[in-house]
Amino acid sequence: MTLSPTPEDAPRFDAPWHAQVFALTVALSEAGAFTWPEWTDTFAATLRERGVDGPLDGSEDYYLAWLAALEDMARARGFAGPDAVADMAERWRAAYLSTPHGDPVKLS
């Protein structure tokens, strides 16, 4: 008999942004911005470039690689140029640095 995983065993996101970048990637793929096989090829290449050859356990490194791959796809597909990606990254950095611990980070 095979037991189903318990909620405690189920995969989870360790930070809200992990879930957000995952959901954004799925939404972009579903909207036709790229196919899922194109995404997996790009993500795999990013993992190889970063030397991530251990288990893909959903750690911070995994989602940093996920984000880098999504940024690469955005630039390659032309729906976010290098300046737009850099600007948004800086806006988020400024927002989280100025947000009190425990409060949700929001862009102004």
Side-chain angles (χ1 to χ4, degrees):
M1 173 179 194
T2 304
L3 298 176
S4 297
T6 63
E8 296 81 27
D9 296 334
R12 61 184 169 79
F13 298 105
D14 288 333
W17 77 268
H18 297 172
Q20 292 166 339
V21 74
F22 178 85
L24 177 60
T25 305
V26 171
L28 287 168
S29 179
E30 289 177 348
F34 46 81
T35 67
W36 201 252
E38 290 169 327
W39 163 252
T40 58
D41 288 347
T42 299
F43 185 48
T46 301
L47 291 171
R48 280 191 303 276
E49 288 168 9
R50 290 173 169 249
V52 179
D53 56 5
L56 300 178
D57 61 2
S59 67
E60 187 79 0
D61 285 347
Y62 178 83
Y63 283 102
L64 288 170
W66 187 290
L67 176 61
L70 186 58
E71 289 174 345
D72 288 346
M73 288 208 76
R75 283 188 289 272
R77 301 296 169 129
F79 52 85
D83 292 341
V85 170
D87 179 60
M88 187 59 67
E90 179 53 31
R91 289 180 59 209
W92 274 110
R93 188 186 77 69
Y96 78 72
L97 288 175
S98 63
T99 301
H101 181 73
D103 288 353
V105 178
K106 297 179 183 176
L107 290 178
S108 57

Coordinates of all heavy atoms in Angstrom, one line a residue, residues 21 24-25 28 33-34 38-39 41-50 63-82 84-86:
V21 N 7.4 34.0 -7.9 CA 8.2 33.8 -9.1 C 7.8 32.5 -9.8 O 7.7 32.5 -11.1 CB 9.7 33.9 -8.9 CG1 10.3 32.6 -8.2 CG2 10.5 34.1 -10.2
L24 N 4.4 33.4 -11.5 CA 4.6 34.3 -12.6 C 5.1 33.5 -13.8 O 4.7 33.7 -14.9 CB 5.6 35.4 -12.2 CG 6.0 36.4 -13.4 CD1 4.8 37.1 -13.9 CD2 7.0 37.4 -12.9
T25 N 6.0 32.6 -13.6 CA 6.5 31.8 -14.7 C 5.4 30.9 -15.3 O 5.3 30.9 -16.5 CB 7.7 30.9 -14.2 OG1 8.7 31.7 -13.5 CG2 8.3 30.1 -15.3
L28 N 3.1 33.3 -17.3 CA 3.7 33.7 -18.6 C 3.7 32.6 -19.6 O 3.4 32.8 -20.8 CB 5.1 34.2 -18.4 CG 5.2 35.6 -17.7 CD1 6.7 35.8 -17.3 CD2 4.7 36.7 -18.6
A33 N 3.9 33.3 -23.6 CA 5.2 34.1 -23.7 C 6.3 33.1 -24.1 O 7.3 33.5 -24.7 CB 5.5 34.8 -22.4
F34 N 6.2 31.8 -23.6 CA 7.2 30.8 -23.9 C 6.5 29.4 -23.6 O 5.5 29.4 -22.8 CB 8.5 30.9 -23.2 CG 8.3 31.2 -21.7 CD1 8.0 30.2 -20.8 CD2 8.4 32.5 -21.2 CE1 7.8 30.4 -19.4 CE2 8.2 32.8 -19.9 CZ 7.9 31.7 -19.0
E38 N 10.5 25.2 -23.4 CA 11.5 26.2 -23.5 C 12.0 26.7 -22.2 O 13.1 27.0 -21.9 CB 10.9 27.4 -24.3 CG 10.7 27.1 -25.8 CD 9.9 28.2 -26.5 OE1 9.0 28.8 -25.9 OE2 10.2 28.4 -27.7
W39 N 11.0 26.8 -21.2 CA 11.3 27.2 -19.9 C 12.3 26.2 -19.2 O 13.3 26.6 -18.6 CB 10.0 27.4 -19.0 CG 10.4 27.4 -17.6 CD1 10.1 26.4 -16.7 CD2 11.1 28.4 -16.9 NE1 10.7 26.7 -15.4 CE2 11.3 27.9 -15.5 CE3 11.7 29.6 -17.2 CZ2 12.0 28.7 -14.6 CZ3 12.4 30.3 -16.3 CH2 12.5 29.9 -15.0
D41 N 14.3 24.1 -20.5 CA 15.6 24.2 -21.1 C 16.4 25.3 -20.6 O 17.6 25.2 -20.3 CB 15.5 24.3 -22.7 CG 15.1 23.0 -23.3 OD1 15.1 21.9 -22.7 OD2 14.7 23.1 -24.5
T42 N 15.8 26.5 -20.5 CA 16.4 27.7 -20.0 C 16.8 27.5 -18.5 O 17.9 27.9 -18.1 CB 15.5 28.9 -20.2 OG1 15.3 29.1 -21.6 CG2 16.2 30.2 -19.6
F43 N 15.9 27.0 -17.7 CA 16.2 26.8 -16.3 C 17.3 25.8 -16.1 O 18.2 26.0 -15.3 CB 14.9 26.4 -15.6 CG 15.0 26.2 -14.1 CD1 15.6 27.2 -13.3 CD2 14.5 25.1 -13.5 CE1 15.7 27.1 -12.0 CE2 14.6 25.0 -12.1 CZ 15.2 26.0 -11.3
A44 N 17.3 24.7 -16.9 CA 18.4 23.7 -16.7 C 19.7 24.3 -17.1 O 20.7 24.0 -16.4 CB 18.1 22.5 -17.6
A45 N 19.7 25.1 -18.1 CA 21.0 25.8 -18.5 C 21.5 26.7 -17.4 O 22.7 26.8 -17.1 CB 20.8 26.6 -19.8
T46 N 20.6 27.4 -16.8 CA 20.9 28.3 -15.7 C 21.5 27.5 -14.5 O 22.5 27.9 -13.9 CB 19.7 29.1 -15.2 OG1 19.2 29.9 -16.3 CG2 20.1 30.1 -14.1
L47 N 20.9 26.4 -14.2 CA 21.4 25.6 -13.1 C 22.8 25.1 -13.4 O 23.6 25.1 -12.5 CB 20.4 24.4 -12.8 CG 19.1 24.8 -12.2 CD1 18.1 23.6 -12.2 CD2 19.2 25.3 -10.8
R48 N 23.0 24.6 -14.7 CA 24.3 24.2 -15.0 C 25.4 25.3 -14.9 O 26.5 25.1 -14.4 CB 24.3 23.6 -16.5 CG 23.8 22.2 -16.6 CD 24.0 21.6 -18.0 NE 23.5 22.4 -19.1 CZ 22.2 22.3 -19.5 NH1 21.3 21.5 -18.9 NH2 21.8 23.1 -20.4
E49 N 25.0 26.5 -15.4 CA 25.9 27.6 -15.4 C 26.3 28.0 -13.9 O 27.4 28.4 -13.6 CB 25.3 28.9 -16.0 CG 25.2 28.7 -17.5 CD 24.3 29.8 -18.1 OE1 23.9 30.8 -17.4 OE2 24.0 29.7 -19.3
R50 N 25.3 27.8 -13.0 CA 25.6 28.2 -11.6 C 26.2 27.0 -10.8 O 26.4 27.2 -9.7 CB 24.2 28.6 -11.0 CG 23.7 29.9 -11.5 CD 22.4 30.2 -10.9 NE 22.0 31.6 -11.2 CZ 21.9 32.6 -10.3 NH1 22.1 32.3 -9.1 NH2 21.7 33.8 -10.7
Y63 N 15.6 28.9 -6.1 CA 14.7 30.0 -6.6 C 15.5 31.2 -7.1 O 15.0 32.0 -7.9 CB 13.7 30.4 -5.5 CG 12.6 29.3 -5.5 CD1 12.6 28.4 -4.5 CD2 11.7 29.3 -6.5 CE1 11.7 27.4 -4.5 CE2 10.7 28.3 -6.5 CZ 10.7 27.3 -5.5 OH 9.8 26.3 -5.6
L64 N 16.7 31.4 -6.6 CA 17.6 32.5 -7.2 C 17.9 32.1 -8.7 O 17.9 32.9 -9.6 CB 18.8 32.7 -6.4 CG 18.6 33.4 -5.1 CD1 19.9 33.4 -4.2 CD2 18.1 34.8 -5.3
A65 N 18.2 30.8 -8.9 CA 18.4 30.3 -10.3 C 17.2 30.5 -11.1 O 17.2 30.8 -12.3 CB 19.0 28.9 -10.2
W66 N 16.0 30.1 -10.5 CA 14.7 30.2 -11.2 C 14.5 31.7 -11.6 O 14.1 31.9 -12.8 CB 13.6 29.8 -10.2 CG 12.3 29.7 -10.8 CD1 11.4 30.7 -11.2 CD2 11.5 28.5 -11.1 NE1 10.3 30.2 -11.7 CE2 10.3 28.8 -11.7 CE3 11.8 27.1 -10.9 CZ2 9.3 27.9 -12.0 CZ3 10.9 26.2 -11.3 CH2 9.6 26.6 -11.8
L67 N 14.7 32.6 -10.7 CA 14.6 34.0 -11.0 C 15.5 34.5 -12.1 O 15.1 35.2 -13.1 CB 14.8 34.9 -9.8 CG 14.7 36.4 -10.0 CD1 13.3 36.8 -10.5 CD2 15.0 37.1 -8.7
A68 N 16.8 34.0 -12.1 CA 17.8 34.4 -13.1 C 17.3 33.9 -14.5 O 17.4 34.6 -15.5 CB 19.1 33.9 -12.7
A69 N 16.8 32.6 -14.5 CA 16.4 32.1 -15.8 C 15.2 32.8 -16.3 O 15.1 33.1 -17.5 CB 16.0 30.6 -15.6
L70 N 14.3 33.2 -15.4 CA 13.1 34.0 -15.9 C 13.5 35.4 -16.4 O 13.0 35.8 -17.4 CB 12.1 34.1 -14.7 CG 10.8 34.8 -15.1 CD1 10.1 34.1 -16.3 CD2 9.8 34.9 -13.9
E71 N 14.5 36.0 -15.7 CA 15.0 37.3 -16.2 C 15.6 37.1 -17.6 O 15.5 38.0 -18.5 CB 16.0 37.9 -15.2 CG 15.3 38.4 -14.0 CD 16.3 38.8 -12.9 OE1 17.5 38.5 -13.0 OE2 15.9 39.5 -11.9
D72 N 16.4 36.0 -17.8 CA 17.0 35.8 -19.1 C 16.0 35.6 -20.2 O 16.1 36.1 -21.3 CB 17.9 34.5 -19.0 CG 19.2 34.7 -18.2 OD1 19.5 35.9 -17.9 OD2 19.8 33.7 -17.9
M73 N 14.9 34.8 -19.8 CA 13.9 34.6 -20.8 C 13.2 36.0 -21.2 O 12.9 36.2 -22.3 CB 12.8 33.6 -20.3 CG 13.4 32.2 -20.3 SD 12.1 31.0 -20.5 CE 11.8 31.1 -22.2
A74 N 12.9 36.8 -20.1 CA 12.3 38.1 -20.4 C 13.1 38.9 -21.3 O 12.6 39.6 -22.2 CB 12.1 38.8 -19.0
R75 N 14.4 39.0 -21.1 CA 15.3 39.7 -22.0 C 15.3 39.1 -23.4 O 15.2 39.8 -24.4 CB 16.7 39.8 -21.4 CG 16.8 40.8 -20.3 CD 18.3 41.0 -19.9 NE 18.8 39.8 -19.2 CZ 18.8 39.6 -17.9 NH1 18.2 40.5 -17.1 NH2 19.3 38.5 -17.4
A76 N 15.5 37.8 -23.5 CA 15.6 37.1 -24.8 C 14.3 37.3 -25.6 O 14.4 37.4 -26.8 CB 15.9 35.7 -24.6
R77 N 13.2 37.3 -24.9 CA 11.9 37.4 -25.6 C 11.5 38.8 -25.9 O 10.5 39.1 -26.5 CB 10.8 36.7 -24.8 CG 11.0 35.2 -24.6 CD 11.1 34.5 -25.9 NE 11.6 33.2 -25.8 CZ 11.0 32.1 -26.2 NH1 9.8 32.2 -26.9 NH2 11.5 30.9 -26.1
G78 N 12.2 39.8 -25.3 CA 11.9 41.2 -25.5 C 10.8 41.8 -24.7 O 10.3 42.9 -25.0
F79 N 10.3 41.0 -23.7 CA 9.2 41.6 -23.0 C 9.7 42.3 -21.7 O 8.9 42.9 -21.0 CB 8.0 40.7 -22.7 CG 8.3 39.3 -22.1 CD1 8.5 39.2 -20.7 CD2 8.5 38.2 -22.9 CE1 8.7 37.9 -20.2 CE2 8.8 37.0 -22.3 CZ 8.9 36.8 -21.0
A80 N 11.0 42.3 -21.5 CA 11.6 43.1 -20.5 C 13.0 43.3 -20.8 O 13.8 42.4 -20.8 CB 11.4 42.5 -19.1
G81 N 13.4 44.5 -21.2 CA 14.8 44.8 -21.6 C 15.7 44.8 -20.4 O 15.3 44.8 -19.3
P82 N 17.0 44.8 -20.7 CA 18.0 44.8 -19.6 C 17.8 45.9 -18.6 O 17.9 45.8 -17.4 CB 19.3 44.9 -20.3 CG 19.1 44.5 -21.7 CD 17.6 44.8 -22.0
A84 N 15.0 47.5 -17.9 CA 13.7 47.3 -17.2 C 14.0 46.3 -16.1 O 13.5 46.5 -15.0 CB 12.6 46.9 -18.1
V85 N 14.7 45.2 -16.4 CA 15.0 44.2 -15.4 C 15.8 44.8 -14.3 O 15.5 44.6 -13.1 CB 15.6 43.0 -16.0 CG1 16.1 42.0 -14.9 CG2 14.7 42.2 -16.9
A86 N 16.9 45.5 -14.6 CA 17.7 46.1 -13.6 C 17.0 47.1 -12.8 O 17.2 47.2 -11.5 CB 18.9 46.8 -14.3

